Amino acid sequence: MKHKELVELQVSEASKQWIKAFNQGDITACAQTYTSRAVMDARPMGRYDGREAIYEFWSGFVNSTKATDLTYTNVNIEFIDENTAKLSASWSMNVGQGIISEELWVKENNLWWLSYDDFTVEEQF
């Protein structure tokens, strides 16, 4: 398997694990997927810097909305190098839908981490 195909497969699996944790309500596991200095731009809610701020956002969001049933469609993974890839997709869940402009995944110590997350809520239900 070529580096590009392996990276795409690994990032796809890391993303699926994040979605699974989210749908199980395991916000701690979701937040732990982000690097300690990750940045999340969540439009229109705001920008969150660092794992702790991202955890607080997701925890408050899930607790207040009872969000679940997250799915990604039209997933595109752009290979950058053997330790970096960008994921973009459309997303939907029971409380809304939108687009992911960029999830920047980086590989450190043989694990994939989210270092940047940029998504937009286009519709709330």
Side-chain angles (χ1 to χ4, degrees):
M1 185 177 290
K2 295 180 182 178
H3 287 301
K4 180 179 186 288
E5 293 166 345
L6 183 59
V7 165
E8 289 171 352
L9 180 66
Q10 290 174 345
V11 168
S12 176
E13 185 56 34
S15 175
K16 288 175 185 173
Q17 290 302 313
W18 192 97
I19 293 166
K20 181 179 177 183
F22 182 90
N23 287 333
Q24 292 174 340
D26 190 349
I27 301 311
T28 299
C30 290
Q32 289 175 343
T33 303
Y34 290 87
T35 64
S36 62
R37 298 186 336 178
V39 173
M40 185 173 77
D41 282 316
R43 287 184 237 356
M45 290 77 72
R47 177 185 163 121
Y48 303 87
D49 295 309
R51 184 183 294 138
E52 185 66 29
I54 292 168
Y55 170 82
E56 293 298 325
F57 168 81
W58 283 123
S59 179
F61 177 78
V62 169
N63 288 331
S64 67
T65 65
K66 306 301 181 221
T68 189
D69 301 325
L70 176 63
T71 59
Y72 285 12
T73 56
N74 304 315
V75 176
N76 181 55
I77 299 173
E78 178 187 342
F79 173 84
I80 297 173
D81 61 38
E82 55 196 40
N83 295 309
T84 316
K86 291 180 186 179
L87 182 147
S88 60
S90 298
W91 64 266
S92 64
M93 63 177 74
N94 64 319
V95 297
Q97 64 185 13
I99 60 165
I100 299 165
S101 300
E102 178 182 335
E103 286 181 355
L104 183 62
W105 289 88
V106 295
K107 188 175 185 179
E108 296 175 3
N109 299 322
N110 241 5
L111 296 172
W112 286 95
W113 306 87
L114 271 167
S115 67
Y116 182 67
D117 190 359
D118 181 348
F119 68 90
T120 303
V121 177
E122 295 183 325
E123 184 178 5
Q124 294 179 327
F125 307 143

